[in-house]
């Protein structure tokens, strides 16, 4: 699959991978932290030479029945960062997750770093700000984050070079982050035996998702892909979250080489009609659109999560 001359960010990402293949010092050190309660993988990416690091897609523990939060998952990351002597410079979200709450503000307080997400978070904030009737006090300009990445934006983690790629479809704001020879792809794609992400959330689009995935799969075959989730495909007994572009192109059950866009859209749309909403979608979106912060406390000092009735998903049978 050739890189088009019009896609300058993809060409730059490809060049980063090639540089990292030639120089091991440009490959990141990666630690994954799996949260089985939400099937989410968080990552600490670091440069061994400078000890600078980034944290991607952290998890705040949340018990829906009691409405209580906890920090066990986040504290595993804190312990790793401190034990390894790392200096966190970035706290990155690949998108506004609908299946877990972000722990980024907690980690920022503990470890520092700039909180960042894709620039199209403003579209998500507009849609869900209205859905949850968040009021005029809720800013819909992305100001809850320290930095908004646009397609092709570059960044650094010590000596490591990174580039942000806009990969909409799952949501309009999804981003993948290529660091050295490793791409952190959020919810765009899963392990080859499980397939791809749903595209039926507000602003999602199956055709756009196909195009975003094929864009990612235009990177060199050796590019390592790190996924945000794993649910263990039928017949597989262990969780897994690392694959390669080559493996995905050869084996992905939804979008391997030879799959047409129309075939994918038909499959994805039909499959999405059968899926229930994520268990934590209501608290997750309300918190994550605020950069991982709870809604402002009311006059009794308590924060509340709103549950809009008959506004999302299919009616109960």
């Amino acid at each position: 699959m050739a890189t088009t001359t019009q896609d300058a960010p993809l060409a730059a990402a490809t060049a980063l991978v090639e540089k990292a293949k030639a120089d091991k010092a440009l490959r990141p050190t990666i630690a994954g932290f799996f949260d089985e309660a939400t099937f989410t993988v968080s990552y600490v990416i670091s440069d061994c030479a400078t000890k600078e690091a980034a944290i991607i897609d952290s998890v705040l523990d949340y018990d829906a029945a009691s409405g209580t939060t906890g920090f066990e998952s986040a504290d595993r990351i804190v312990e790793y960062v401190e034990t390894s002597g790392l200096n966190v410079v970035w706290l990155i979200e690949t998108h506004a997750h609908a299946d877990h709450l972000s722990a980024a503000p907690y980690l920022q307080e503990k470890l520092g770093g700039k909180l960042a997400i894709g620039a199209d978070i403003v579209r998500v904030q507009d849609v869900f700000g209205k859905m949850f009737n968040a009021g005029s006090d809720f800013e819909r300009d992305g100001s809850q984050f320290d930095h908004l990445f646009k397609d092709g934006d570059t960044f650094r983690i010590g000596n490591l070079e990174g580039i942000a790629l806009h990969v909409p479809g799952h949501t309009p704001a999804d981003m993948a982050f290529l660091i050295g020879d490793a791409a952190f792809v959020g919810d765009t794609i899963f392990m080859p035996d499980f397939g791809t992400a749903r595209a039926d959330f507000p602003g999602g689009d199956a055709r756009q998702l196909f195009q975003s995935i094929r864009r990612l799969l235009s990177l060199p075959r050796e590019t390592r892909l790190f996924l945000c989730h794993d649910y263990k495909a039928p017949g597989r007994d262990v969780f897994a979250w690392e694959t390669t572009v080559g493996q995905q192109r050869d084996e992905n059950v939804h979008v391997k080489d030879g799959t047409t866009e129309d075939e994918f859209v038909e499959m994805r749309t039909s499959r999405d009609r059968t899926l229930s909403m994520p268990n934590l979608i209501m608290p997750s979106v309300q918190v994550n659109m605020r950069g991982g912060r709870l809604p402002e406390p009311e006059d009794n000092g308590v924060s509340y999560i709103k549950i809009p009735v008959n506004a999302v998903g299919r009616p109960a049978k």
Side-chain angles (χ1 to χ4, degrees):
M1 185 182 301
T3 301
T4 62
T5 56
Q6 292 81 9
D7 196 341
L10 183 60
T14 298
L16 280 188
V17 174
E18 297 296 342
K19 286 173 64 177
K21 285 167 56 180
D23 185 350
K24 291 183 178 180
L26 300 180
R27 302 175 197 172
T29 298
I30 300 165
F33 298 82
F34 186 67
D35 176 60
E36 191 166 348
T38 62
F39 305 101
T40 303
V41 193
S42 306
Y43 296 99
V44 178
I45 301 96
S46 59
D47 170 31
C48 62
T50 66
K51 295 293 187 177
E52 287 196 356
I55 299 170
I56 294 182
D57 291 337
S58 60
V59 175
L60 179 72
D61 302 324
Y62 179 76
D63 181 73
S66 64
T68 55
T69 60
F71 305 104
E72 183 177 350
S73 297
D75 282 339
R76 291 167 57 206
I77 293 176
V78 173
E79 181 181 10
Y80 173 82
V81 167
E82 292 180 342
T83 300
S84 303
L86 301 178
N87 172 34
V88 174
V89 294
W90 290 104
L91 298 153
I92 295 173
E93 302 291 333
T94 55
H95 63 294
H97 306 275
D99 43 30
H100 71 271
L101 284 65
S102 170
Y106 174 78
L107 292 171
Q108 188 174 45
E109 181 180 346
K110 293 283 186 179
L111 303 171
K114 290 184 178 181
L115 176 56
I117 200 169
D120 277 350
I121 185 63
V122 297
R123 294 178 57 189
V124 175
Q125 290 176 327
D126 183 58
V127 170
F128 285 102
K130 294 173 183 175
M131 182 178 295
F132 290 113
N133 198 26
S136 57
D137 290 340
F138 172 57
E139 299 292 342
R140 295 159 169 83
D141 58 1
S143 57
Q144 299 85 349
F145 300 84
D146 300 314
H147 185 81
L148 301 180
F149 280 108
K150 296 180 181 179
D151 187 48
D153 281 353
T154 58
F155 60 100
R156 299 193 72 88
I157 304 168
N159 295 327
L160 302 175
E161 298 177 73
I163 189 166
L165 298 174
H166 188 210
V167 286
H170 174 63
T171 80
D174 278 60
M175 302 292 289
F177 295 89
L178 191 288
I179 302 166
D181 68 333
F184 300 85
V185 299
D187 286 11
T188 53
I189 198 166
F190 299 136
M191 290 299 289
D193 58 358
F194 199 88
T196 57
R198 65 195 299 164
D200 61 333
F201 294 144
D205 184 280
R207 196 167 297 278
Q208 204 171 45
L209 179 61
F210 178 87
Q211 294 165 3
S212 292
I213 291 171
R214 296 311 302 183
R215 187 187 193 205
L216 288 173
L217 298 188
S218 296
L219 291 165
R221 289 180 62 89
E222 301 86 358
T223 307
R224 296 183 288 165
L225 302 182
F226 290 86
L227 318 179
C228 188
H229 298 287
D230 186 56
Y231 306 96
K232 288 197 294 192
R236 176 157 54 86
D237 296 326
V238 296
F239 291 107
W241 48 82
E242 180 181 350
T243 179
T244 66
V245 165
Q247 289 171 337
Q248 294 285 7
R249 290 181 59 174
D250 294 342
E251 302 171 16
N252 189 282
V253 294
H254 291 170
V255 71
K256 64 184 176 183
D257 284 0
T259 305
T260 69
E261 184 172 320
D262 288 342
E263 288 171 342
F264 175 82
V265 170
E266 173 60 29
M267 177 283 301
R268 189 70 264 170
T269 303
S270 299
R271 184 179 176 86
D272 288 350
R273 292 193 191 104
T274 70
L275 300 178
S276 300
M277 289 291 105
N279 291 335
L280 295 182
I281 186 171
M282 296 302 174
S284 294
V285 173
Q286 286 178 78
V287 169
N288 294 337
M289 71 182 186
R290 292 177 165 89
R293 300 172 185 86
L294 296 173
E296 286 296 316
E298 298 191 7
D299 54 12
N300 62 353
V302 178
S303 294
Y304 289 88
I305 298 293
K306 294 181 177 180
I307 307 295
V309 178
N310 294 331
V312 180
R314 291 166 291 280
K317 294 180 180 179

